[in-house]
Amino acid sequence: MAALIAKRQGFGLLRALLVLLGISVLCSVALGTRKGHASLDHRSQRHRHPGHLSLHRHRQRTGKEGQVLHRSKRGWVWNQFFVIEEYTGPDPVLVGRLHSDVDKGDGTIKYILSGEGAGTIFVIDDKTGNIHATKTLDREEQAQYTLTAQAVARDTNEPLEPPSEFIVKVQDINDNPPEFLHGPYYARVPEMSNVGTSVMQVTATDADDPTYGNSARLVYSILQGQPYFSVEPQTGIIRTALPNMDREARQEYDVVIQAKDMGGHMGGLSGTTEVKITLTDVNDNPPKFPQSVYSMSVSEDKVPGEEVGRLKAKDPDLEDNGLVNYRLIDGDGISMFELSTNSETREAVIKLKMQVDFETKRSYTLKVEGSNPHIDPRFLAWGPYKDEATIKISVEDADEPPVFIAPTYTFEVEENAPQGTPVGRVHAKDTDVANNPVRYMIPRYTDVDQFFSISEDGMITTTRPLDRETQPWHNISVSAIEIGGHHQDTKVRVNIKVKDVNDNSPEFATNNEVLMCENVAPGKVIETISAVDKDEMGHRQHFTFSLAPEVAHNQNFSLKDNRDSTASIYVLRKGFSRLTQDVYYIPIEINDNGFPSMSSTNTLTIRVCSCDSKDTILSCNVEPYVLPAGLSTGALIAILACIVILLAIVVLFVALRRQKKEPLIVFEEEDIRENIITYDDEGGGEEDTEAFDIATLQNPDGANGFLPRRDIKPELQYPIRPGIGRPVPNSVDVDDFIKTRIAEADSDPTAPPYDSIQIYGYEGRGSLAGSLSSLESVTTESDLDYDYLQSWGPRFRKLADLYGTKDCSIHDMDDGEDS
């Protein structure tokens, strides 16, 4: 036999003991009344209780007649076990004990537990069979666990008894307060409702077990909102508690409802929610005029339809319940005045029905009634729902200005109508007894551009053609002034509409370029164009599109009119190249189909672009292969132009400096004897007294015709001519020398440029004093000694000092060059 004994805490233990006692008594009675069972095993007569389980093995015994009796084996008999939730004791909770009859206490039996929570929540001592709960259980997470118990042999693991299931229920405790899941609440109830009128029902929920104890038994109460409202404890229905609650006195109430578990007893948990209750309006107030008598006045110059005055009856009710209808019910002015209701302000508006005359009648009386159109039958006894007031209207004398027949005028005129076209006529008259004539004028501040003029009889005409597209409406005023009166004027509004004439050609709706890929497929629509027209479009008017005649037969693009005021542009061929042609201009004719019909030719620009395989545009420039990324053609041209200008300025500046500061011919050094100063002196001969370039005679290269250039670099090196470095013979003729050098300079590419002038101061031959030039006197290097000039007298002393001083330097330089 097997038994499982469960332990309970608190009142659960007492309950388990009572159940065990009852089961034990029942078992004893059953066994005692059974025949032939007097020799049963004492262990089979154990008391049974909710934690006790029994398995009866097959037993056989001999009856009175000597026959063998077979006793059938009974399965596990389980009662339901309980474990209290949220237990926080120091030791695991003993759920029960598993024991088999074959267990002799020698440790050969092993108890096995499986099922929900086995090994984690519930553990079993495989020797003693004690089952414990090792974790705190929460009934709201899982209310019961199904387990399986079995006894097996410890050494072979063979089952000694068949497995059986049992249920461990988690016993609830009050650990969850009530909650209002849908709060806060909003409710409405009509004002003046009877006591006990249901407002709404609030419901709280409790996660505890509603079938066990009072943990989930809720009781509702009102914490705030008395004495106006009450709540039913069991249902949570909120009802009115006071009669005649008036919305006009107080409209909103904040009510707090509490739900408490444990049947409302002490120790229970509670939760609250807020209910905002609004009283809705009912028609429980009649309208009331603030005054019983109203005084108004009207001038005799007022025209019918003008307002005389207003009055209003007060009704504190809302919307339709506060509506008031007004009507004239009596008085001698009913035929002269009329009454209407302003829908926005809910006021009674008294207007002139007929023009009054001060000289005929000077006062009128009216009686006005205001009443509610919507009456609540429940409150008829509170009526009547209407009120009356008296209006006294006095007529004032006035010198009336002219009065226009109509309050406003509206005329139409076609645009582009010629000057002097009639627009319309206005008419005003003098209402006084004198009936003076009236003249008209258009105030210029209402017609600044002076499009219109008005004649003496009120006819308005145009002063020039009008353009509807510039100004479709002209709103002007016309003044009427009584001639001979008090110069009072009356103005009237004149609205002139300019009727449309089809005088504008259609044009493209947008002027954007069309971007097309180079690899576009023939027949593809690359653009859908539309048009706009400043004129008004008629009901059946639409735009038509066509290619201009000069491109009607082009091989690149075609146009299809979609007949819905749009057109599609198709590609006719493939193989476009932006390097060959990057832009195409397609002239397109657009017709507006109006009357008269207007058309225009607009140019569509199509730009060829490079695209990737997904037809995504990469670049639309002609030079994308040579330009760096992000640099446009215009930017590159601007940069190059700036560089060229700067280089030109630098070159020009350097050239000017060289021309100004450096000679083209390379001289050895500057010589103060470069030019001979001319004196007005008759002595010494006059043939060589003019300035002469001595530098030519002192430069050996120059003397022999070789003059290196500074401004150019010679491409070829010419061989040194014979005779260079040798002294010039005495027979050198300056005339021949000059002619020879000129001929050599003309054929020498290393000579100075043609615009360079070489000056030779030579007068020719025949001077009695002879030549002072060293060209004729130099024979050898020793002849360059000019000391003999000292004997020429004081007139040549300075010349002798100069040349005598320079001789040494000249000889040294020549020696240095020869070496």
Side-chain angles (χ1 to χ4, degrees), residues 227-506:
Y228 307 101
F229 300 95
S230 63
V231 63
E232 293 184 358
Q234 305 301 327
T235 62
I237 297 176
I238 302 173
R239 300 182 182 274
T240 59
L242 280 182
N244 300 328
M245 285 192 293
D246 191 3
R247 183 200 65 82
E248 288 73 30
R250 182 177 177 182
Q251 184 174 358
E252 293 185 350
Y253 298 84
D254 293 326
V255 179
V256 178
I257 303 297
Q258 180 190 68
K260 191 173 184 180
D261 58 14
M262 298 299 293
H265 296 129
M266 185 177 296
L269 303 178
S270 63
T272 61
T273 187
E274 183 179 350
V275 183
K276 186 177 288 295
I277 301 176
T278 302
L279 297 183
T280 59
D281 184 62
V282 298
N283 190 9
D284 58 341
N285 294 279
K288 184 69 177 178
F289 286 104
Q291 302 173 216
S292 59
V293 178
Y294 291 85
S295 297
M296 301 180 184
S297 62
V298 60
S299 179
E300 65 174 342
D301 58 356
K302 299 296 182 181
V303 297
E306 291 199 31
E307 182 179 321
V308 177
R310 298 188 178 196
L311 69 161
K312 181 179 181 181
K314 294 184 177 180
D315 191 331
D317 295 325
L318 300 176
E319 299 179 353
D320 291 345
N321 295 325
L323 288 177
V324 179
N325 289 342
Y326 302 94
R327 66 188 183 99
L328 296 175
I329 58 175
D330 197 3
D332 57 0
I334 291 182
S335 61
M336 303 297 295
F337 301 92
E338 60 183 0
L339 184 148
S340 63
T341 302
N342 187 297
S343 59
E344 296 181 358
T345 62
R346 296 183 180 179
E347 294 176 317
V349 182
I350 308 298
K351 296 182 179 180
L352 271 178
K353 185 177 181 181
M354 298 180 62
Q355 191 170 6
V356 296
D357 187 7
F358 175 80
E359 290 73 22
T360 303
K361 188 175 178 61
R362 300 187 178 184
S363 65
Y364 296 89
T365 301
L366 296 173
K367 184 170 286 188
V368 180
E369 178 189 81
S371 60
N372 288 140
H374 305 287
I375 300 176
D376 194 332
R378 296 176 298 172
F379 307 105
L380 283 176
W382 296 12
Y385 287 88
K386 60 183 178 179
D387 194 19
E388 296 179 358
T390 301
I391 304 175
K392 293 184 177 181
I393 303 175
S394 60
V395 181
E396 297 178 351
D397 188 19
D399 182 15
E400 298 92 354
V403 177
F404 284 96
I405 302 302
T408 59
Y409 293 88
T410 301
F411 302 120
E412 293 184 352
V413 61
E414 286 190 353
E415 67 173 328
N416 303 327
Q419 175 183 352
T421 301
V423 177
R425 186 189 302 275
V426 297
H427 181 64
K429 64 179 181 178
D430 182 16
T431 58
D432 294 330
V433 177
N435 194 16
N436 293 322
V438 177
R439 62 185 177 89
Y440 304 93
M441 64 174 295
I442 299 175
R444 285 309 162 198
Y445 66 86
T446 65
D447 184 21
V448 177
D449 297 324
Q450 300 184 10
F451 288 107
F452 306 97
S453 63
I454 189 168
S455 62
E456 295 181 355
D457 60 353
M459 176 60 72
I460 302 173
T461 57
T462 61
T463 60
R464 52 180 145 164
L466 305 178
D467 186 8
R468 187 201 68 85
E469 288 70 38
T470 303
Q471 189 172 350
W473 281 88
H474 294 267
N475 301 315
I476 65 174
S477 295
V478 175
S479 296
I481 302 175
E482 179 184 347
I483 301 176
H486 293 82
H487 302 288
Q488 296 182 0
D489 65 336
T490 301
K491 294 182 177 62
V492 68
R493 196 70 177 171
V494 179
N495 303 316
I496 301 174
K497 179 182 180 181
V498 182
K499 298 172 62 177
D500 183 50
V501 174
N502 192 26
D503 60 344
N504 289 276
S505 301

Side-chain angles (χ1 to χ4, degrees), residues 123-177:
V123 295
I124 188 172
D125 189 336
D126 60 353
K127 295 181 180 180
T128 63
N130 291 334
I131 302 174
H132 289 82
T134 61
K135 295 183 179 180
T136 301
L137 303 181
D138 188 358
R139 189 200 66 83
E140 285 70 38
E141 292 183 0
Q142 186 168 348
Q144 65 181 21
Y145 298 84
T146 302
L147 300 172
T148 302
Q150 190 175 18
V152 299
R154 184 175 296 275
D155 52 353
T156 62
N157 283 334
E158 293 183 358
L160 302 178
E161 295 190 10
S164 291
E165 289 185 351
F166 65 95
I167 295 175
V168 177
K169 277 198 171 184
V170 181
Q171 186 172 336
D172 182 53
I173 63 172
N174 188 20
D175 59 343
N176 291 279

